[in-house]
């Protein structure tokens, strides 16, 4: 049975239309983001463990689209690490407003974003014996610390991130009595080492990327990360860390190629009819062989 050109054209065109329209946003398997303001987890002498946070945590995953926010007006906490009767070791943490957000418009667009901001940060690690005066081991202050991380799957998987650091100052005997002017790190490059010595590490705009970049990609950004690794404090060793303004975003699945707007059904019908009429006209104009 011979198919008419019109019927074949209709089937082929309908197949093309279905194929383009079926480009699925649901190809993404994971899209999520999260953030928090402050998290601290410290241990001294391996048996004294203290921590706070995460403070103002927020997270979300699509589908459906989500938009979540959280905030804390201020934070004032003291982590007691030493034995007061022998050696008082305190980590004081204070802030102004802490605000966080996480969102994704997916499936409208395959993107996710997270932001964390901490205002008026004040950290103070101090020691004091029964007969001595308090010693300032480490003090960190900042007007604003924030980070933003975004992931997307438009054409190719990608992540972007940045940190904002304003009014940062660092001092204390852990730095040999020096004071670090944090204005030098206002636009810190990724993973900028502000200080690293004797088991104390301070990293600005810390960025940790995960995934293979082909079908999974994620990033965690910390505006400021303070780490202790066997840091000598009195007769003990201090371990752990404090994370300020963390944002994270990740996405998994094949990239969604932008093929432009998909025609409406009525447009497809007009195109099909137009192609069909063109085919009929060409058939009628086909020359007839004269024998």
């Amino acid at each position: 049975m011979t198919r008419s050109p019109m019927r074949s054209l209709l089937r082929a065109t309908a197949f093309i239309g279905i194929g383009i329209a079926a480009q699925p946003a649901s190809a993404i398997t994971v899209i999520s983001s999260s953030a928090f303001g402050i998290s601290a987890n410290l241990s001294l002498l391996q048996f004294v463990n203290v921590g706070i946070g995460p403070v103002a945590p927020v997270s979300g995953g699509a589908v459906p689209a989500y938009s979540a926010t959280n905030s804390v007006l201020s934070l004032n906490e003291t982590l007691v690490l030493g034995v007061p009767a022998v050696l008082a070791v305190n980590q004081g943490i204070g802030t102004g407003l802490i605000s966080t957000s996480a969102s994704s418009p997916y499936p409208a667009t395959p993107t996710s974003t997270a932001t964390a901001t901490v205002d008026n940060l004040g950290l103070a690690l101090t020691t004091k014996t029964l007969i001595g005066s308090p010693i300032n081991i480490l003090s960190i202050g900042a007007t604003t610390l924030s980070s933003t991380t975004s992931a997307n799957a438009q054409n190719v998987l990608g992540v972007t991130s940045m940190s904002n650091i304003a009014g940062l100052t660092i001092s204390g005997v852990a730095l040999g009595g020096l004071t670090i002017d944090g204005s030098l790190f206002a636009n810190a490059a990724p993973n900028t080492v502000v200080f690293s010595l004797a088991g104390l590490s301070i990293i600005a705009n810390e960025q940790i990327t995960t995934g293979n970049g082909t079908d999974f990609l994620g990033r965690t950004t910390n505006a400021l990360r303070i780490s202790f690794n066997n840091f000598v404090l009195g007769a003990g060793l201090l371990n752990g860390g404090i994370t300020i303004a963390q944002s994270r975003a990740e996405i998994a699945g094949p990239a969604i190629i932008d093929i432009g707007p998909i025609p409406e059904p009525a447009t497809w019908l007009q195109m099909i009819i137009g192609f069909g009429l063109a085919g009929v006209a060409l058939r009628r104009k086909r020359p007839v062989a004269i024998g």
Side-chain angles (χ1 to χ4, degrees), residues 58-116:
V58 67
S59 63
V63 289
Y66 62 89
S67 179
T69 60
N70 200 352
S71 64
V72 173
L73 290 178
S74 63
L75 178 69
N76 189 1
E77 296 280 349
T78 299
L79 305 180
V80 179
L81 287 156
V83 181
V86 181
L87 177 66
V89 180
N90 297 322
Q91 174 68 76
I93 302 177
T95 72
L97 177 65
I98 299 174
S99 57
T100 55
S101 66
S103 64
S104 172
Y106 186 71
T109 55
T111 61
S112 65
T113 302
T115 299

Side-chain angles (χ1 to χ4, degrees), residues 64-261:
Y66 62 89
S67 179
T69 60
N70 200 352
S71 64
V72 173
L73 290 178
S74 63
L75 178 69
N76 189 1
E77 296 280 349
T78 299
L79 305 180
V80 179
L81 287 156
V83 181
V86 181
L87 177 66
V89 180
N90 297 322
Q91 174 68 76
I93 302 177
T95 72
L97 177 65
I98 299 174
S99 57
T100 55
S101 66
S103 64
S104 172
Y106 186 71
T109 55
T111 61
S112 65
T113 302
T115 299
T117 301
V118 177
D119 292 331
N120 299 320
L121 173 72
L123 299 178
L125 177 63
T126 60
T127 64
K128 183 182 183 302
T129 63
L130 289 177
I131 59 174
S133 300
I135 300 174
N136 176 29
I137 305 299
L138 178 66
S139 290
I140 299 178
T143 305
T144 300
L145 292 168
S146 68
S147 74
T148 300
T149 306
S150 299
N152 72 82
Q154 292 176 307
N155 298 318
V156 295
L157 298 188
V159 291
T160 59
S161 58
M162 62 172 292
S163 294
N164 176 36
I165 300 172
L168 178 66
T169 58
I170 306 173
S171 62
V173 298
L175 278 63
L178 298 176
T179 297
I180 296 177
D181 181 2
S183 63
L184 301 173
F185 307 101
N187 297 306
N191 302 307
T192 296
V193 178
V194 179
F195 182 85
S196 181
L197 185 66
L200 170 62
S201 174
I202 302 174
I203 308 295
N205 191 21
E206 183 180 45
Q207 297 184 11
I208 303 169
T209 303
T210 56
N212 56 22
T214 302
D215 54 19
F216 176 71
L217 191 61
R219 178 172 294 169
T220 298
T221 308
N222 302 315
L224 198 66
R225 170 74 176 168
I226 304 104
S227 300
F228 300 96
N229 183 15
N230 291 331
F231 178 76
V232 177
L233 195 58
L237 299 176
L238 181 62
N239 287 279
I242 302 171
T243 302
I244 313 296
Q246 180 181 104
S247 58
R248 178 197 64 83
E250 65 180 23
I251 198 159
I256 296 178
I257 306 300
D258 184 5
I259 57 175

